[in-house]
Amino acid sequence: SFSIFNSLSYLKNLVKKMSALRACADGGANRLYHITEGSQDSFLPDYISGDFDSIQPEVKEYYKVKGCELIETMDQDLTDFTKCLQILQKKIEKKGLQIDVIVTLGGLGGRFDQTMASVETLFHATNITPFPVIVIQECSLIYLLQPGKHKLRVDTGLEGAWCGLIPIGNSCESVTTTGLRWNLTNQLLKFGTLVSTSNTYDDSGIVTIETDKPLLWTMAIKR
Amino acid sequence: VCFAFTSFDFKLLGHGNLKFCLLILNQPFDKGHFHCLWSKAALRACADGGANRLYHITEGSQDSFLPDYISGDFDSIQPEVKEYYKVKGCELIETMDQDLTDFTKCLQILQKKIEKKGLQIDVIVTLGGLGGRFDQTMASVETLFHATNITPFPVIVIQECSLIYLLQPGKHKLRVDTGLEGAWCGLIPIGNSCESVTTTGLRWNLTNQLLKFGTLVSTSNTYDDSGIVTIETDKPLLWTMAIKR
């Protein structure tokens, strides 16, 4: 049980100040390159990993020349995201870093299959890293809750209005919450029966969720 | 064991033979898809804020694109949009059930109208529902699960370059040689694991394969040259594919 959403208040400072490590998964380097146009050299990732079938040649060359580590990972059974996470964990251990959360930018928009692949990586993340992994894109955030009790602070001012609990890979026989507009008590969550979407918060500023099986938490974040 | 063969040809949706209904949700959708689908639909409906999308995408000629009905709890539809369609004679059906999404309720009404008019339908096409808010995307998937109890017709959801369709247990055959398919496809065990999935026609086929989040999910798959994909599954399994705009 822990509270990770204090980190939401760091989001605005993420790139510059608070990130201990910064990485791109393959074509993520293209995104970084274009969003930092004009000052790419102030935004150099620590490494770029993947099978390099998405990264543009000029982007790859730019970061290579600037001294970013390029790590080619050829395993076709794992997504670039998963492989990037594996490398990240190794570097965290090697550097002995104290980490609260791994924040992933992108992964929830565009191709539906890629969105599902991002969710799949969250399932594998439990075996890759002990740190919570969250995925953020546009106004959405997702985070996979492992079985047990969780406490989330939702009073940082960066939360949007909606939230939800998605039994995405498996049904959850018993889910109990506090702090939501529509709370659950020992509730079965299951596609075809009940999925919690368009939920929101009460005034307590804290949400607790107890689940017997992995359960995907999703919420709105302000831009 | 129950075998259900489904075969629908996306291309025909815009070119004649396939009979379908069109349902518009409150998310941005592609003008290309819209125009291709609107003219050939047997029935056209908007779920709440889907009416806003329709109104804006048909700017300048809204009166040539009037839905048969707009349903929902009307907390998303803009007042001027609601007024416009009301004045133009579109049926407005308020549905207050808070346990069901606007999409689900709109589907229930659609099925009643299909029955009432005795329409022969091959598929129900939903525009929007896969982009924007992640919880809304999941709500669209949830509606597909409920759709089995609402309508006997297949329901597909399309937004931008993605299409999703929930395969019920059994055997399915999909034609993928219409020219409107994009490169990628996938099989997503959303909601439950599938103990045994067997496919043909994919680049990476499965044989009695377990599909399960945390074990294996088929994404970034593609096609072989046969033009036909068959999928046999023991549990509900979400098919997703790229479509061209």
Side-chain angles (χ1 to χ4, degrees):
Chain A
S1 157
F2 69 96
S3 168
I4 67 166
F5 291 95
N6 289 337
S7 71
L8 277 181
S9 61
Y10 304 157
L11 271 181
K12 289 174 181 169
N13 300 314
L14 250 189
V15 176
K16 279 277 182 187
K17 288 187 185 173
M18 290 302 189
S19 290
L21 273 175
R22 308 172 185 99
C24 297
D26 206 344
N30 301 335
R31 307 286 179 172
L32 176 65
Y33 186 82
H34 294 296
I35 211 173
T36 56
E37 189 163 336
S39 47
Q40 282 96 339
D41 53 3
S42 300
F43 297 91
L44 300 175
D46 294 282
Y47 69 92
I48 303 169
S49 69
D51 43 26
F52 295 146
D53 61 356
S54 302
I55 191 170
Q56 288 154 5
E58 63 271 20
V59 171
K60 187 178 175 189
E61 193 55 30
Y62 177 85
Y63 288 120
K64 185 175 167 189
V65 161
K66 290 289 177 179
C68 304
E69 194 180 355
L70 298 180
I71 307 170
E72 198 168 0
T73 53
M74 296 311 296
D75 189 335
Q76 283 307 317
D77 279 348
L78 301 176
T79 62
D80 290 329
F81 180 11
T82 303
K83 290 179 285 187
C84 197
L85 206 53
Q86 289 173 326
I87 294 166
L88 189 68
Q89 178 58 26
K90 285 200 182 76
K91 288 187 180 291
I92 290 170
E93 286 167 11
K94 194 170 175 189
K95 292 174 184 258
L97 294 175
Q98 293 304 311
I99 297 292
D100 296 308
V101 62
I102 295 170
V103 180
T104 313
L105 224 43
L108 302 180
R111 288 170 43 168
F112 185 83
D113 69 329
Q114 300 278 45
T115 301
M116 293 297 102
S118 299
V119 174
E120 171 67 350
T121 294
L122 293 187
F123 274 80
H124 287 283
T126 342
N127 300 323
I128 295 173
T129 174
F131 308 114
V133 182
I134 68 177
V135 185
I136 295 171
Q137 182 161 351
E138 289 170 23
C139 70
S140 297
L141 177 155
I142 65 170
Y143 169 54
L144 185 64
L145 303 165
Q146 289 304 314
K149 237 175 164 167
H150 303 267
K151 181 171 146 182
L152 309 171
R153 285 192 56 192
V154 292
D155 59 349
T156 68
L158 288 175
E159 298 79 16
W162 59 266
C163 60
L165 289 161
I166 318 294
I168 213 168
N170 48 262
S171 58
C172 300
E173 310 299 311
S174 181
V175 179
T176 302
T177 70
T178 65
L180 298 176
R181 171 82 171 73
W182 290 282
N183 282 308
L184 308 170
T185 307
N186 298 321
Q187 176 69 46
L188 166 70
L189 287 184
K190 180 180 175 174
F191 271 93
T193 305
L194 183 69
V195 176
S196 176
T197 60
S198 292
N199 209 332
T200 188
Y201 309 106
D202 65 18
D203 298 321
S204 63
I206 291 181
V207 170
T208 70
I209 302 157
E210 188 167 4
T211 176
D212 64 321
K213 301 258 209 56
L215 178 61
L216 196 75
W217 164 256
T218 182
M219 62 188 287
I221 52 171
K222 289 184 178 160
R223 290 162 104 141
Chain B
V1 176
C2 162
F3 282 82
F5 284 85
T6 58
S7 167
F8 62 86
D9 187 339
F10 184 66
K11 175 176 174 180
L12 293 178
L13 280 178
H15 296 270
N17 296 358
L18 220 66
K19 299 180 187 61
F20 64 96
C21 297
L22 182 63
L23 210 149
I24 297 174
L25 301 184
N26 188 12
Q27 300 220 357
F29 52 81
D30 198 272
K31 232 175 187 175
H33 291 150
F34 169 74
H35 284 290
C36 171
L37 293 168
W38 179 272
S39 56
K40 298 290 184 182
L43 271 177
R44 308 169 184 102
C46 297
D48 205 344
N52 301 336
R53 305 287 178 175
L54 176 65
Y55 186 83
H56 293 295
I57 211 173
T58 57
E59 190 163 337
S61 47
Q62 283 97 337
D63 54 2
S64 300
F65 296 92
L66 300 175
D68 293 285
Y69 71 91
I70 303 168
S71 70
D73 43 25
F74 294 148
D75 60 356
S76 302
I77 189 171
Q78 288 152 5
E80 63 272 20
V81 172
K82 188 177 173 188
E83 191 56 27
Y84 177 87
Y85 288 120
K86 184 176 168 188
V87 161
K88 289 289 177 180
C90 304
E91 194 181 355
L92 299 180
I93 307 171
E94 199 168 1
T95 52
M96 296 311 298
D97 189 334
Q98 282 307 318
D99 279 347
L100 300 176
T101 61
D102 289 329
F103 180 10
T104 303
K105 290 179 287 188
C106 196
L107 206 52
Q108 289 174 325
I109 294 166
L110 189 66
Q111 178 58 26
K112 286 201 182 76
K113 288 186 181 292
I114 289 170
E115 287 168 9
K116 194 170 176 189
K117 292 175 183 259
L119 294 174
Q120 293 304 311
I121 296 293
D122 296 305
V123 60
I124 295 170
V125 181
T126 312
L127 220 42
L130 301 181
R133 286 170 45 168
F134 185 83
D135 70 328
Q136 300 278 44
T137 301
M138 293 297 101
S140 299
V141 175
E142 171 67 348
T143 294
L144 293 187
F145 274 79
H146 288 284
T148 342
N149 301 322
I150 295 172
T151 174
F153 309 114
V155 182
I156 67 177
V157 185
I158 294 171
Q159 183 162 350
E160 287 167 23
C161 71
S162 298
L163 177 155
I164 65 171
Y165 170 52
L166 185 63
L167 304 166
Q168 289 303 314
K171 231 173 169 171
H172 303 266
K173 181 170 145 185
L174 309 169
R175 286 192 56 191
V176 292
D177 59 349
T178 68
L180 287 175
E181 298 79 18
W184 60 265
C185 59
L187 288 162
I188 318 294
I190 265 194
N192 51 259
S193 57
C194 299
E195 311 298 310
S196 181
V197 179
T198 301
T199 70
T200 65
L202 298 176
R203 171 80 170 76
W204 290 283
N205 282 308
L206 308 169
T207 307
N208 297 321
Q209 176 68 47
L210 166 70
L211 286 184
K212 180 180 175 173
F213 272 94
T215 304
L216 183 69
V217 175
S218 176
T219 60
S220 292
N221 209 332
T222 187
Y223 309 105
D224 65 20
D225 299 321
S226 63
I228 291 181
V229 170
T230 69
I231 303 156
E232 186 168 4
T233 176
D234 63 321
K235 300 260 211 53
L237 178 62
L238 195 76
W239 164 255
T240 182
M241 62 188 286
I243 50 171
K244 290 184 179 160
R245 297 162 102 140

